[in-house]
Amino acid sequence: MSRRARVSPAEAGLPDGGRRRTPGLRREEVAVLAGVGVSWYQWLEQGRDITVSPQVLDSVARVLRLSPAERRHLYVLAGLNPPALEAAPEDRDMCQGLRRLIDAWMPFPAHIMDVYWNTVLYNEAASIVLGMRPDISQNCLVAFFTDPLYRARMGHWEELAPKVVAQFRSACSEHPEDEGFRAVVGEAKARSTEFAELWERRDVLPGGQNRKEMEHPLVGTLAVEATQLRIPARPDLVIVMHTPLPEADTAAKLEWLVSPEGRRGAMYPVAG
């Protein structure tokens, strides 16, 4: 009822019709625009025990101009499995704030991926430590299997690879018909027989934390914990923060690597 009161007849594509005793749309108007019966729509507002389909709820959500979060909330109120999270249009312009976030994580590596694990942003430490750079594949899954620099630095790569593939399959399972995921898997299979073999295991793991041990040519052993974080307002993005572990004096080494002296000795230029 509150959302119905917020939508004007003009916004719904209806003639004004003169003065109204209540703001917004009438129940009858919502019912007609959504293609449902007036009585049924009244029962829906009253929370009666009626049969509700996702298609009808989507029609009501469209008429009431609900945001993605409000549409999910409507599904929950109706006792249905909510649709996948979507980024609202007003939340899509968050990249500057996310850039500040990962830059504030310096001197520790951090990067941001989209749902397909394509790199969106990365900080200077990710360039210096992980070897992220413009001239390699910008998909983190493909780069994991094909970037010789990353593989040369990554200790226990063979142990980590099955977890990475299982976590990507878990991400795929949330979008089973998405051609974007199929394209990434197809490219990874074409470029790496190791990926193809691991993919056929059909293992599934949720994205969480991965321990990484690396051998950097300037400072030697580094031990970090990579944690995947999600932002409710931007469900299409994943932030990966690398936290130094206590061993190998990792924190101090990372601080030196991003210092002016360390940058001069880096194998690849810092990302601009």
Side-chain angles (χ1 to χ4, degrees):
M1 292 174 62
S2 68
R3 293 307 180 265
R4 176 163 58 84
R6 295 184 182 185
V7 181
S8 69
E11 290 174 324
L14 296 174
D16 190 4
R19 296 188 60 183
R20 292 174 175 242
R21 290 181 296 177
T22 57
L25 298 176
R26 301 185 180 99
R27 289 192 181 97
E28 296 81 3
E29 292 169 333
V30 175
V32 170
L33 291 170
V36 300
V38 176
S39 296
W40 184 93
Y41 179 75
Q42 182 175 351
W43 295 339
L44 177 68
E45 278 198 0
Q46 293 171 346
R48 294 195 187 185
D49 187 12
I50 57 177
T51 300
V52 182
S53 70
Q55 293 78 12
V56 170
L57 284 188
D58 285 344
S59 294
V60 172
R62 172 183 51 80
V63 174
L64 298 181
R65 306 170 70 88
L66 299 187
S67 69
E70 290 171 335
R71 175 169 166 256
R72 280 178 55 86
H73 187 59
L74 181 62
Y75 269 68
V76 172
L77 293 176
L80 298 179
N81 290 328
L85 284 168
E86 298 178 12
E90 63 270 18
D91 291 328
R92 290 194 174 276
D93 188 19
M94 294 178 61
C95 286
Q96 289 187 352
L98 295 177
R99 162 61 73 186
R100 288 190 290 269
L101 173 66
I102 61 175
D103 284 346
W105 194 244
M106 292 282 290
F108 310 139
H111 66 277
I112 299 175
M113 310 182 296
D114 66 12
V115 291
Y116 308 117
W117 289 21
N118 294 316
T119 302
V120 176
L121 297 170
Y122 56 91
N123 66 7
E124 295 177 355
S127 177
I128 295 171
V129 177
L130 303 177
M132 288 187 166
R133 56 202 190 277
D135 60 328
I136 63 168
S137 170
Q138 295 304 296
N139 182 273
C140 292
L141 178 72
V142 175
F144 181 89
F145 282 90
T146 62
D147 179 19
L149 172 62
Y150 185 84
R151 291 194 60 162
R153 293 185 180 183
M154 183 60 57
H156 308 290
W157 184 94
E158 293 78 7
E159 296 177 14
L160 183 58
K163 293 183 63 177
V164 170
V165 175
Q167 288 172 350
F168 189 77
R169 182 178 281 279
S170 179
C172 289
S173 67
E174 300 178 13
H175 309 273
E177 304 300 325
D178 195 311
E179 291 296 331
F181 282 104
R182 294 180 182 179
V184 174
V185 172
E187 180 183 358
K189 282 184 176 181
R191 298 181 61 182
S192 171
T193 57
E194 293 165 307
F195 170 82
E197 293 172 0
L198 291 172
W199 186 253
E200 292 306 315
R201 294 185 185 181
R202 301 185 180 276
D203 294 335
V204 177
L205 286 174
Q209 289 184 330
N210 290 326
R211 176 190 172 92
K212 296 181 180 180
E213 293 185 9
M214 293 171 284
E215 289 297 324
H216 195 279
L218 297 181
V219 295
T221 302
L222 296 169
V224 299
E225 197 169 55
T227 304
Q228 293 187 15
L229 304 174
R230 289 184 177 270
I231 304 173
R234 287 301 305 264
D236 55 325
L237 299 179
V238 176
I239 304 174
V240 184
M241 315 289 276
H242 293 77
T243 306
L245 293 172
E247 55 259 46
D249 200 22
T250 298
K253 291 178 179 178
L254 291 175
E255 290 179 3
W256 183 85
L257 281 171
V258 302
S259 68
E261 182 182 1
R263 293 181 189 188
R264 284 194 294 270
M267 294 179 63
Y268 287 89
V270 172

